[in-house]
Amino acid sequence: MIEPMNSLANERILVGITGGIAAYKSAELVRLLIKRGAEVQVVMTPAAEAFITPLTLQALSGKAVRTSLLDEQAELGMGHIELARWATCVIVAPASADFIARMATGMANDLLSTVMLAFNGPIFLAPAMNQAMYSNPMTQKNLQTLLDLRADVTILGPDSGEQACGDTGPGRMLEPAEIVNRINAFSSPLLAGKKVVITAGPTQEPIDPVRYISNHSSGKMGYAIAAAALAAGAEVTLISGPVALPSPAGARMINVTTAIEMADAALEHSCHADIFIATAAVADFRPDTVHPHKLKKTSTSAVMDLHLVQNPDIVAQVAALGSKRPARVVGFAAESRDAEKYGAEKRIRKQLDMIVINDISVAGLGFGSNHNKVTILTGESRTEIGPSLKTDIARQLISFMAEHWQLNSSDLKENNEVSTS
């Protein structure tokens, strides 16, 4: 991925360090943040001091490192509140399993956890722990609790690979350069002034007043992309099928049920958009007749025949709008075999600028899961993202689009030709 060139000159970043072997990477993180122009204040938990000394971080940040909640001098001015007011964003790296659990339950038994309760702004957590600890259902529940309770929390990583204990798997802290790039992308309004239309969730095609044809889509990926686009400064219209998710704050919501309804809304709103992103899992077929009353079982037949007709191909229709076509059209392909082959064919056949492919046959990823792994195909590049939380993948997707198309420096609606780049 292209390294962002934007600086962090206007950012006051509080770097929280918790106990873990990855704490040695925090020194490089502080150095890189300052190199990008940020002002940095370090807060360490008592456990972090067992892995790296406050003096090291003080030398790099140019500020005295804060370590104690009960510091008499600092608390003369309500130091923990002042830290929360001072920071424009907080990054905890490494974020241990213990700290994530305490944060998820609202504990405030050290300086860093107290600041987190008092801080109102973007929070980035870079988990670092043994792969078994990260995969433990309690840790996953705690991470999800934070995402559900606080829209301003972003989980960065973790990476997968060999760990200090000898295990291999997810749990390695992201490299400092990657963390800085993610924070930089978040703080830069990459989609400022851009209009983005997103479809999400499944459709439901009625058979009768009781039954319908649908699929396993939860809408989580599309909703995460909507939230990421909003955070990047875009004006977002989210066209959603039936899901059990809260609406992203700030998005214009259009709720639909059937593929026909979604197609009508997509065609109406996409002609005013810079980017159209089709994440919805639209039913390919619908019953040609919707029965007005519930169909009854009969004792004479164990078979029900349904005649199905094809639904409109929404993303292909949007891509074929001609002069009203959004400058960029992005499709999604959920495949159970030969995912990249079918995705590449779909991108060309439907005249899409980009397609995002995920293999739904991989256990624990895709439909219904909080995690995903995707492959992005454009006319000249192939990029993999994940496996990671869908919220993290969504932010990386938005950053990739902005960097690939340089959205922050051009008005896409002035260049509205069909592209395969």
Side-chain angles (χ1 to χ4, degrees):
M1 192 175 294
I2 302 169
E3 181 174 334
M5 297 304 294
N6 311 83
S7 75
L8 294 169
N10 296 321
E11 299 293 335
R12 298 186 302 276
I13 301 177
L14 190 151
V15 175
I17 304 175
T18 70
I21 188 62
Y24 79 91
K25 294 182 179 181
S26 302
E28 176 68 1
L29 174 62
V30 170
R31 188 189 71 82
L32 290 176
L33 289 170
I34 290 174
K35 184 178 178 181
R36 289 283 183 94
E39 187 178 356
V40 176
Q41 172 67 62
V42 176
V43 174
M44 299 177 68
T45 65
E49 295 182 71
F51 293 90
I52 187 170
T53 67
L55 186 60
T56 300
L57 282 308
Q58 177 178 311
L60 290 167
S61 67
K63 294 180 182 292
V65 174
R66 298 288 304 279
T67 59
S68 175
L69 175 61
L70 303 177
D71 184 321
E72 292 182 3
Q73 292 302 312
E75 288 307 306
L76 284 174
M78 297 298 287
H80 62 288
I81 301 299
E82 288 305 311
L83 284 173
R85 290 173 178 168
W86 172 84
T88 56
C89 73
V90 174
I91 167 70
V92 181
S96 66
D98 173 75
F99 182 79
I100 290 168
R102 289 191 288 119
M103 186 177 168
T105 54
M107 295 182 68
N109 57 348
D110 61 20
L111 179 59
L112 184 57
S113 59
T114 303
V115 170
M116 301 300 267
L117 277 182
F119 179 67
N120 184 22
I123 296 172
F124 301 89
L125 301 178
M129 64 197 75
N130 170 266
Q131 58 85 23
M133 295 172 67
Y134 176 73
S135 301
N136 187 285
M138 290 304 299
T139 301
Q140 292 301 309
K141 180 182 178 181
N142 290 333
L143 287 168
Q144 191 58 46
T145 295
L146 289 171
L147 294 173
D148 291 342
L149 292 177
R150 296 193 63 158
D152 52 10
V153 168
T154 300
I155 310 298
L156 303 180
D159 267 343
S160 184
E162 186 176 351
Q163 300 180 318
C165 61
D167 284 358
T168 300
R172 289 171 55 92
M173 184 176 120
L174 288 184
E175 292 305 311
E178 179 65 14
I179 293 173
V180 172
N181 284 344
R182 303 279 187 91
I183 296 173
N184 191 97
F186 186 90
S187 66
S188 304
L190 297 175
L191 298 184
K194 300 298 181 285
K195 295 181 179 180
V196 180
V197 175
I198 301 168
T199 64
T203 63
Q204 295 177 354
E205 311 302 325
I207 298 171
D208 60 24
V210 176
R211 305 174 182 91
Y212 57 80
I213 297 172
S214 191
N215 56 63
H216 296 296
S217 174
S218 65
K220 290 178 179 179
M221 193 72 251
Y223 274 57
I225 290 173
L230 286 163
E235 178 183 328
V236 174
T237 298
L238 180 57
I239 304 169
S240 177
V243 298
L245 297 171
S247 301
R252 178 184 183 185
M253 292 297 304
I254 300 173
N255 295 304
V256 299
T257 301
T258 68
I260 295 293
E261 292 171 349
M262 184 173 283
D264 289 344
L267 292 172
E268 176 184 352
H269 294 280
S270 62
C271 62
H272 305 296
D274 295 291
I275 307 171
F276 178 77
I277 306 174
T279 71
V282 182
D284 292 322
F285 295 90
R286 69 183 187 276
D288 65 342
T289 300
V290 180
H291 294 269
H293 302 289
K294 179 182 176 182
L295 292 172
K296 298 293 186 180
K297 291 186 292 185
T298 67
S299 58
T300 58
S301 175
V303 176
M304 176 186 289
D305 291 323
L306 289 176
H307 186 254
L308 303 178
V309 295
Q310 196 169 37
N311 271 322
D313 189 324
I314 297 174
V315 71
Q317 287 188 349
V318 170
L321 280 174
S323 62
K324 294 185 176 180
R325 181 192 195 270
R328 305 296 182 188
V329 178
V330 180
F332 270 64
E335 302 289 349
S336 60
R337 62 186 176 92
D338 297 328
E340 198 163 324
K341 172 189 173 184
Y342 289 128
E345 292 173 353
K346 181 182 291 187
R347 189 193 69 81
I348 296 171
R349 184 175 70 254
K350 299 186 180 186
Q351 294 187 294
L352 308 180
D353 301 288
M354 179 182 291
I355 194 159
V356 182
I357 307 162
N358 68 289
D359 187 343
I360 60 174
S361 67
V362 179
L365 300 178
F367 283 152
S369 172
N370 292 322
H371 293 75
N372 208 352
K373 178 182 179 181
V374 301
T375 301
I376 307 170
L377 297 183
T378 69
E380 70 281 346
S381 69
R382 176 188 182 278
T383 303
E384 289 188 1
I385 299 178
S388 187
L389 288 166
K390 287 180 176 178
T391 50
D392 187 31
I393 285 179
R395 290 182 174 91
Q396 291 189 64
L397 278 172
I398 291 298
S399 180
F400 179 88
M401 292 177 194
E403 293 161 9
H404 186 72
W405 294 323
Q406 298 182 346
L407 303 186
N408 53 337
S409 60
S410 63
D411 184 353
L412 291 179
K413 290 301 284 184
E414 293 180 359
N415 183 26
N416 203 19
E417 74 275 11
V418 173
S419 168
T420 58
S421 64

